[in-house]
Amino acid sequence: MRLFVSEGVPGCLPVLAAARRARGRAELLISTVGPEDCVVPFLTRPKIPVLQLDSGNYLFSTSAICRYFFLLSGWEQDDLTNQWLEWEATELQPALSAALYYLVVQGKKGEDVLGSVRRALTHIDRSLSRQNCPFLAGETESLADIVLWGALYPLLQDPAYLPEELSALHSWFQTLSTQEPCQQAAETVLKQQGVLALRPYFQKQPQPSPPEGRAVTNEPEEEELATLSEEEIATAVTAWEKGLESLPPLRPQQNPVLPVAGERNVLITSALPYVNNVPHLGNIIGCVLSADVFARYSRLRQWNTLYLCGTDEYGTATETKALEEGLTPQEICDKYHIIHADIYRWFNISFDIFGRTTTPQQTKITQDIFQRLLKRGFVLQDTVEQLRCEHCARFLADRFVEGVCPFCGYEEARGDQCDKCGKLINAVELKKPQCKVCRSCPVVQSTQHLFLDLPKLEKRLEEWLGRTLPGSDWTPNARFIIRSWLRDGLKPRCITRDLKWGTPVPLEGFKDKVFYVWFDATIGYLSITANYTDQWERWWKNPEQVDLYQFMAKDNVPFHGLVFPCSVLGAEDNYTLVSHIIATEYLNYEDGKFSKSRGVGVFGDMAQDTGIPADIWRFYLLYIRPEGQDSAFSWTDLLLKNNSELLNNLGNFINRAGMFVSKFFGGCVPEMVLTPDDQRLLAHVTLELQHYHQLLEKVRIRDALRSILTVSRHGNQYIQVNEPWKRIKGSEADRQRAGTVTGLAVNIAALLSVMLQPYMPTVSATIQAQLQLPLPACSILLTNFLCTLPAGHQIGTVSPLFQKLENDQIESLRQRFGGGQLEETFDLKAKTSPKPAVVETVTTARPQQIQVLMDEVTKQGNIVRELKAQKADKNEVAAEVAKLLDLKKQLAVAEGKPPEAPKGKKKK
Amino acid sequence: MVVPFKSLRAGQQWCRFPSEFEDLRTRSTMGKRRSMFQLSGQIPVLQTNNGPSLTGLTTIAAHLVKQANKEYLLGSTAEEKAIVQQWLEYRVTQVDGHSSKNDIHTLLKDLNSYLEDKVYLTGYNFTLADILLYYGLHRFIVDLTVQEKEKYLNVSRWFCHIQHYPGIRQHLSSVVFIKNRLYTNSH
């Protein structure tokens, strides 16, 4: 037989790696041909690799060739291998081809490449870790391993695309890659050029169709229905039956919260918002709200939790703001600190401490760390070229300069960073620099500054990262950013600035300078804790016992993952270093960008004036949390999610469950006699609950919210199928069935109230009050679904949880926040050309939304038809019909058709 | 069959899968109650009592064939086994994957050329590959014009043969092929 292979063709990797299996069984000739050669006479399109058999037949499928080699060696086919190979062909290959295409043809990087395969990689990782075997189909390497390894090798051989958190995949891949036949195959096919060897091959492939709407939509991925084993069902039933007694006692409240030896101690920080402005929704979801969800979850797990944040008050922006408002910097900080605190209180953020950085503790700790660094030789002194405005007679800090970005040509780049391309800028490199205060052109002058000697600390940092990163929950973007900084090599970083408003530098010759905010802002976490308790060192100098989670947007990663760790590693004082950096991508506003410095978007204090409750804001922001990719705030989407997910799904289910108990059973939870179908439901809910836990343990906040909605969907469907409102009027057996269904449903509602607690604390408390859920069950969430409302339990008064949002209302809010508030509220005096903020534009919805609505309409239509066919209760029918009409109206609006009643003005 | 809690958005294409198993299942010795199918998206899942669930059309089909003691349907020699699996993969990646008219015609052209000297996909033995490819192609073959059927003469001969194989066609419509050639120039 003869094997035809070609360099730079991915399918040849597994085939060559498997070929040795056939050695000694048959004579094998290997011919190298061009990648475009048509070897198989009956195929129109070229196909490599190909195996020509002695019978004259051809094998043209990579997997089939490998399979044949394995079969020759005496291997027998089995179900598990078949399943892996089918999955490889139908799921992995399309995803992988897309990723490789983006990488080698389009030159994309990072998450743009990894995004399309992440799901598949996670699937492999989970399968490996679940079955606890080193290989895909058991204890020994087999066909499935070779085929999948060969498919994955081109991408994963670059460590940047082998996510470290997938540790099982990691070790599986390393094991295979070090084997001789695999190494030889890689050498033959990739010729040591890495993935670029595949470039000519992929250039001839059609461009992969974009992964369905991922980048543009906030819709959940298609949910997969898990299959259940009898064992899983039995376990779920046992846990359910144990009920309340399996709950541990509530941990007593401590004040102050301090780490406890032998317990899980979770320290959570949210990036410190800058005090000079009101935070916008992007800031809120990026750090404080995300961290709040995790803190609340952590408390539900009974972990010893301290959540802290505060305003970052020093720096140039405060000085600018003070100039603008004619106040002193201290007055500005006092004023805005209160505004911040009020906003977060309104959003129900559960800080243990919300402090500030302008305190004596801050000075003490910062200067201590600096002195230690100085003494150990990690501080350099150097002359810096800096912009000086002769007119204002001072050196211009980064934020006092504006000019043309040297990288992308954006006209209003700031002195430290370009808003458009996001690159960091050295202020002297700006083209056409302007003093922001007087608009004159500054000159370059030299001045002395202090630098943190990062190159000298690099080795310690890498050692620490090597210990910390594997198996931790750092988000992929944070890993990627840190890795790329390290790859480019660290440079000394300036830690002083020519300012007055800051922590003074305790060194002769630098008395008129202060520390750069990014040297001391991260120290703010320590000083804020120190103001909370004099035992702050038990949190911050206790790396063995404390698990530190830091939440931020991705632009803050270098400071938390590199600069601060280097500072405290150099200080050699046994500081607690970050265990998990949780970084979000960016949240956009409608079609544009939120910008604090330009005042575009919805701001924290205005959210209160919209009349939309804080929990709805929380829900929507968390639903679109920019987790793994940028996302966008959209008013239309907010309306849609409120009306579909909250009102029709979650609210509808919880309300119906409670109402049935009140209406049919006098407010008393009925007796439950579980049928196999009910047990199956229990197991499904348990599985979804466990999924929720797995996701939140990994801080996948947005994804875990989907689990809540899935549980509620299970519940709705359960009620819909079992029709307790009909059975209650039937025979004894029917009435008993209605009781079981109602009892189970109201218990699911109780579970939902707890799962919802991190996301919507007020709604959660309302549900718990309505259901009179016993206290420990309100504050503890176990991994199993328990019967927390046993038969005989008396519930309270049930009322609807959510309100519908109307199109008119949303339309007017959109107009109000579309732009213009910049001029009203945040009029920057120095601004010469006010940029038109995002203008309200097209109102027609995206195709995905239309599709969703159409599906909803169809679904709701079926429900109505079913009810009518069954001659159901009139009110029931009327309610469902109303929902249907409403959905149709939404659809009409989304499609840009005028709704029946003329209301709201639509452009185009 | 168990309909999972999640709603099934029933599309014709998805309903096709279980019926494909119908045939295999009636041949198998399993009692009807012991195995359950669930549809997850477009991918069928088989839940059995005595082991983990199986996912994927060809995986489940091969499993059921073994359960029914009809392993010969998976091929007898190493070569035949590999060829059967190759065409099963072809079914789920090529036949199910593409539906543009152009793709289908290329596919039929290739298949026609392949079947020129063959009775079945493996040559002389009827296998699971013939069954699943028949099910997969049915929706395209019914739409072919008489002229096209004649153009893909070998495919037509094979297809007509398989649809008359006992127990295979089930509820699918019988496709009519004309025995005497009408378009003598086309082939």
Side-chain angles (χ1 to χ4, degrees):
Chain A
M1 57 189 175
R2 181 187 285 261
L3 180 63
F4 296 88
V5 293
S6 173
E7 285 166 22
V9 174
C12 298
L13 271 165
V15 166
L16 285 170
R20 79 184 160 107
R21 299 273 172 168
R23 209 172 288 154
R25 319 267 171 180
E27 197 183 341
L28 177 66
L29 294 169
I30 299 183
S31 308
T32 307
V33 293
E36 291 291 291
D37 289 358
C38 289
V39 181
V40 187
F42 56 86
L43 290 183
T44 310
R45 294 179 188 138
K47 190 89 179 66
I48 299 287
V50 165
L51 182 68
Q52 186 179 16
L53 300 166
D54 294 337
S55 63
N57 243 325
Y58 290 92
L59 289 177
F60 55 86
S61 136
T62 302
S63 303
I65 298 171
C66 295
R67 187 189 289 265
Y68 181 61
F69 290 149
F70 270 78
L71 283 166
L72 283 182
S73 74
W75 169 83
E76 301 229 1
Q77 314 193 72
D78 60 273
D79 287 339
L80 194 51
T81 305
N82 285 347
Q83 179 167 280
W84 274 117
L85 263 50
E86 182 172 356
W87 180 81
E88 191 267 346
T90 53
E91 305 280 321
L92 180 62
Q93 276 300 344
L96 208 49
S97 305
L100 288 168
Y101 188 90
Y102 297 141
L103 181 65
V104 300
V105 180
Q106 298 186 334
K108 291 187 179 169
K109 290 207 160 54
E111 202 52 32
D112 290 339
V113 172
L114 208 46
S116 44
V117 283
R118 184 172 291 282
R119 210 174 132 164
L121 296 183
T122 311
H123 174 71
I124 303 175
D125 181 70
R126 266 198 220 149
S127 306
L128 284 167
S129 55
R130 197 168 40 208
Q131 69 197 23
N132 212 4
C133 281
F135 296 102
L136 294 171
E139 289 298 332
T140 51
E141 172 203 320
S142 176
L143 175 60
D145 301 295
I146 295 296
V147 171
L148 266 80
W149 171 84
L152 292 166
Y153 184 78
L155 186 69
L156 299 194
Q157 45 94 26
D158 180 349
Y161 297 107
L162 181 48
E164 278 159 41
E165 69 269 24
L166 304 180
S167 52
L169 172 69
H170 213 272
S171 61
W172 170 82
F173 181 75
Q174 298 302 356
T175 309
L176 289 168
S177 298
T178 48
Q179 291 186 359
E180 165 110 39
C182 292
Q183 280 185 343
Q184 277 177 5
E187 169 65 33
T188 311
V189 179
L190 299 185
K191 292 274 164 207
Q192 290 186 334
Q193 296 168 36
V195 71
L196 285 180
L198 304 183
R199 204 177 135 97
Y201 172 83
F202 275 101
Q203 276 173 332
K204 295 201 179 67
Q205 303 296 314
Q207 183 173 353
S209 48
E212 280 147 42
R214 286 271 182 86
V216 287
T217 173
N218 300 325
E219 301 313 318
E221 289 169 20
E222 187 66 38
E223 289 154 359
E224 279 173 32
L225 191 80
T227 46
L228 297 166
S229 70
E230 294 296 320
E231 202 184 321
E232 281 170 311
I233 296 175
T235 319
V237 173
T238 317
W240 156 269
E241 282 168 352
K242 269 200 177 159
L244 285 167
E245 66 185 61
S246 36
L247 289 173
L250 274 175
R251 49 177 308 132
Q253 294 240 332
Q254 289 185 67
N255 194 21
V257 185
L258 291 171
V260 181
E263 282 193 29
R264 177 145 193 217
N265 300 299
V266 181
L267 177 57
I268 300 169
T269 72
S270 154
L272 306 179
Y274 206 58
V275 80
N276 73 319
N277 245 333
V278 180
H280 59 64
L281 297 182
N283 304 134
I284 290 168
I285 183 63
C287 40
V288 284
L289 181 53
S290 296
D292 183 56
V293 173
F294 188 68
R296 286 173 179 276
Y297 172 72
S298 172
R299 294 183 193 117
L300 275 183
R301 293 297 297 271
Q302 300 255 81
W303 297 334
N304 192 33
T305 307
L306 183 72
Y307 174 25
L308 67 97
C309 185
T311 40
D312 171 16
E313 310 197 336
Y314 284 133
T316 54
T318 309
E319 282 193 354
T320 328
K321 196 75 182 177
L323 276 177
E324 272 170 32
E325 300 198 7
L327 298 169
T328 66
Q330 186 62 58
E331 283 165 342
I332 282 288
C333 292
D334 294 346
K335 175 181 162 191
Y336 278 94
H337 175 79
I338 293 170
I339 294 179
H340 274 265
D342 282 346
I343 288 172
Y344 302 136
R345 197 172 305 122
W346 187 77
F347 274 98
N348 230 323
I349 307 294
S350 63
F351 300 124
D352 293 292
I353 328 161
F354 184 72
R356 44 201 305 192
T357 55
T358 50
T359 64
Q361 289 287 2
Q362 175 76 8
T363 310
K364 197 176 139 204
I365 299 172
T366 308
Q367 293 189 346
D368 174 57
I369 291 178
F370 170 74
Q371 296 286 15
R372 287 177 152 268
L373 286 167
L374 189 68
K375 206 187 290 172
R376 287 165 179 74
F378 294 120
V379 177
L380 302 169
Q381 196 171 325
D382 201 1
T383 317
V384 184
E385 306 272 272
Q386 211 181 335
L387 294 172
R388 184 183 164 85
C389 176
E390 299 294 352
H391 186 257
C392 303
R394 61 172 178 170
F395 284 104
L396 294 180
D398 296 344
R399 281 168 186 259
F400 282 95
V401 196
E402 225 174 56
V404 178
C405 172
F407 301 105
C408 72
Y410 182 59
E411 300 228 339
E412 292 175 60
R414 302 194 314 246
D416 52 349
Q417 198 170 17
C418 171
D419 261 357
K420 180 125 181 269
C421 66
K423 288 216 171 77
L424 295 177
I425 298 174
N426 197 344
V428 289
E429 289 166 1
L430 276 181
K431 293 180 192 157
K432 297 191 205 154
Q434 274 191 333
C435 168
K436 257 183 106 173
V437 177
C438 69
R439 292 282 146 194
S440 61
C441 181
V443 293
V444 178
Q445 258 195 22
S446 10
T447 162
Q448 286 289 309
H449 274 293
L450 295 173
F451 288 77
L452 187 59
D453 194 350
L454 292 177
K456 217 168 166 181
L457 288 160
E458 189 165 346
K459 206 160 159 248
R460 291 187 197 198
L461 182 79
E462 293 211 39
E463 267 172 33
W464 166 69
L465 285 171
R467 281 196 312 272
T468 307
L469 282 181
S472 76
D473 299 327
W474 285 49
T475 49
N477 54 357
R479 291 167 192 266
F480 201 78
I481 291 166
I482 296 298
R483 208 179 284 124
S484 65
W485 274 60
L486 285 174
R487 196 184 45 220
D488 299 346
L490 298 181
K491 291 164 196 71
R493 200 170 172 88
C494 187
I495 55 169
T496 49
R497 282 292 184 271
D498 290 284
L499 280 179
K500 296 205 170 47
W501 189 240
T503 306
V505 180
L507 190 65
E508 213 42 60
F510 290 88
K511 293 292 184 201
D512 54 343
K513 295 180 200 273
V514 298
F515 285 113
Y516 182 34
V517 282
W518 271 117
F519 176 69
D520 82 333
T522 39
I523 297 172
Y525 301 123
L526 283 58
S527 74
I528 288 169
T529 317
N531 280 306
Y532 165 74
T533 167
D534 53 7
Q535 303 182 65
W536 66 276
E537 292 180 341
R538 287 178 60 188
W539 283 108
W540 286 101
K541 294 188 183 174
N542 192 358
E544 285 78 31
Q545 290 181 0
V546 174
D547 220 357
L548 173 57
Y549 286 79
Q550 300 201 292
F551 288 77
M552 65 203 71
K554 68 176 173 189
D555 53 344
N556 275 343
V557 169
F559 304 104
H560 290 79
L562 287 167
V563 180
F564 182 67
C566 279
S567 308
V568 293
L569 282 168
E572 296 175 358
D573 206 8
N574 193 35
Y575 278 102
T576 305
L577 285 155
V578 61
S579 324
H580 313 277
I581 287 191
I582 313 297
T584 52
E585 302 287 318
Y586 295 131
L587 179 72
N588 295 316
Y589 179 69
E590 295 274 312
D591 297 325
K593 222 173 189 179
F594 277 101
S595 170
K596 207 190 283 195
S597 43
R598 291 174 208 296
V600 177
V602 181
F603 287 76
D605 51 346
M606 302 170 188
Q608 314 181 24
D609 305 333
T610 56
I612 299 171
D615 267 11
I616 307 297
W617 282 106
R618 286 178 62 114
F619 169 81
Y620 182 63
L621 289 173
L622 291 162
Y623 193 93
I624 58 167
R625 180 171 187 258
E627 198 167 289
Q629 70 199 21
D630 287 1
S631 67
F633 173 90
S634 142
W635 285 103
T636 323
D637 195 39
L638 167 68
L639 172 139
L640 202 73
K641 292 292 153 9
N642 178 74
N643 294 354
S644 64
E645 290 296 356
L646 289 182
L647 196 68
N648 289 349
N649 176 13
L650 191 66
N652 182 39
F653 169 67
I654 292 174
N655 191 246
R656 278 167 97 189
M659 282 312 280
F660 290 155
V661 178
S662 304
K663 234 166 69 186
F664 303 145
F665 301 96
C668 195
V669 176
E671 209 59 56
M672 290 161 268
V673 186
L674 301 184
T675 66
D677 266 353
D678 301 335
Q679 297 182 340
R680 192 162 270 280
L681 174 70
L682 278 188
H684 270 294
V685 171
T686 305
L687 209 64
E688 204 56 54
L689 173 64
Q690 282 161 358
H691 194 48
Y692 166 94
H693 280 300
Q694 280 165 9
L695 289 167
L696 277 178
E697 279 167 17
K698 297 260 163 220
V699 210
R700 304 250 310 267
I701 293 172
R702 187 194 59 187
D703 293 348
L705 180 53
R706 309 286 201 258
S707 287
I708 300 180
L709 298 170
T710 303
V711 170
S712 156
R713 255 186 288 275
H714 282 325
N716 265 324
Q717 227 140 19
Y718 177 67
I719 292 185
Q720 211 54 44
V721 169
N722 288 291
E723 304 173 319
W725 63 90
K726 269 170 67 183
R727 292 187 194 265
I728 193 72
K729 298 177 202 140
S731 66
E732 182 56 38
D734 269 346
R735 281 208 301 282
Q736 191 199 44
R737 182 77 195 129
T740 303
V741 173
T742 304
L744 191 47
V746 80
N747 268 288
I748 295 177
L751 172 72
L752 282 169
S753 79
V754 189
M755 290 171 80
L756 209 50
Q757 206 271 343
Y759 294 86
M760 304 177 84
T762 312
V763 169
S764 163
T766 310
I767 302 169
Q768 296 178 346
Q770 291 184 4
L771 300 181
Q772 295 282 303
L773 186 63
L775 192 61
C778 294
S779 325
I780 303 178
L781 188 59
L782 299 185
T783 48
N784 282 314
F785 174 27
L786 312 177
C787 177
T788 50
L789 301 175
H793 171 91
Q794 190 73 36
I795 68 165
T797 314
V798 177
S799 58
L801 296 166
F802 301 109
Q803 275 197 332
K804 198 178 156 204
L805 289 177
E806 300 294 341
N807 275 312
D808 306 9
Q809 184 189 354
I810 286 299
E811 197 52 40
S812 75
L813 285 173
R814 189 217 301 276
Q815 307 250 334
R816 202 165 119 206
F817 293 105
Q821 72 264 41
L822 173 65
E823 280 68 38
E824 288 165 31
T825 345
F826 301 105
D827 195 7
L828 294 174
K829 299 245 159 54
K831 212 153 189 75
T832 46
S833 57
K835 217 177 155 63
V838 181
V839 200
E840 189 263 346
T841 48
V842 197
T843 48
T844 39
R846 294 187 291 259
Q848 285 87 354
Q849 290 176 340
I850 294 177
Q851 189 53 50
V852 169
L853 276 171
M854 279 161 85
D855 290 349
E856 295 274 334
V857 167
T858 319
K859 221 192 280 176
Q860 189 62 23
N862 288 335
I863 294 176
V864 169
R865 262 189 297 282
E866 243 175 66
L867 283 178
K868 282 185 176 165
Q870 294 154 355
K871 304 202 167 46
D873 180 62
K874 254 187 196 164
N875 293 332
E876 188 76 32
V877 176
E880 297 296 338
V881 169
K883 260 188 240 161
L884 177 62
L885 290 177
D886 176 53
L887 279 170
K888 283 187 173 166
K889 207 162 83 188
Q890 283 180 35
L891 177 61
V893 172
E895 287 177 327
K897 294 177 196 156
E900 271 108 308
K903 57 161 96 164
K905 40 186 168 57
K906 296 273 167 300
K907 291 180 185 168
K908 280 174 213 168
Chain B
M1 193 183 309
V2 162
V3 177
F5 292 108
K6 223 154 279 182
S7 68
L8 287 178
R9 273 183 271 163
Q12 284 180 318
Q13 198 190 346
W14 308 1
C15 297
R16 225 178 48 241
F17 292 131
S19 73
E20 288 179 35
F21 296 126
E22 217 45 56
D23 167 59
L24 296 167
R25 191 157 57 162
T26 46
R27 285 156 179 250
S28 89
T29 52
M30 281 193 297
K32 277 212 169 184
R33 293 239 141 223
R34 281 183 45 214
S35 68
M36 289 176 285
F37 297 101
Q38 297 186 322
L39 292 174
S40 148
Q42 300 200 6
I43 304 158
V45 176
L46 175 73
Q47 178 72 57
T48 59
N49 278 353
N50 46 3
S53 63
L54 288 176
T55 305
L57 177 72
T58 68
T59 306
I60 296 175
H63 171 80
L64 292 178
V65 160
K66 268 182 276 175
Q67 292 288 312
N69 288 325
K70 309 237 172 194
E71 282 201 272
Y72 60 85
L73 285 175
L74 300 175
S76 314
T77 61
E79 176 172 335
E80 226 178 50
K81 285 174 185 166
I83 292 175
V84 169
Q85 293 295 334
Q86 162 162 293
W87 288 104
L88 292 181
E89 181 189 314
Y90 192 81
R91 154 73 206 263
V92 288
T93 57
Q94 305 298 308
V95 180
D96 295 344
H98 302 284
S99 41
S100 90
K101 245 197 142 83
N102 229 346
D103 285 337
I104 288 308
H105 282 282
T106 311
L107 189 150
L108 289 174
K109 180 168 163 275
D110 288 0
L111 200 56
N112 194 55
S113 153
Y114 176 73
L115 286 170
E116 185 154 12
D117 57 355
K118 291 177 184 66
V119 183
Y120 300 105
L121 286 167
T122 56
Y124 300 107
N125 297 315
F126 174 74
T127 63
L128 185 62
D130 295 296
I131 304 178
L132 288 195
L133 207 62
Y134 160 77
Y135 289 138
L137 287 173
H138 187 275
R139 64 184 168 135
F140 301 117
I141 302 287
V142 281
D143 286 343
L144 294 184
T145 62
V146 176
Q147 185 173 12
E148 284 166 331
K149 283 180 199 161
E150 209 165 280
K151 181 173 161 200
Y152 306 121
L153 190 69
N154 301 317
V155 174
S156 296
R157 168 179 49 75
W158 165 81
F159 189 91
C160 190
H161 185 49
I162 304 297
Q163 73 174 351
H164 286 110
Y165 214 89
I168 295 296
R169 188 168 62 80
Q170 300 186 73
H171 70 285
L172 292 175
S173 61
S174 173
V175 180
V176 179
F177 295 91
I178 298 173
K179 287 219 172 88
N180 25 348
R181 300 178 59 168
L182 301 178
Y183 304 86
T184 42
N185 297 334
S186 73
H187 200 65

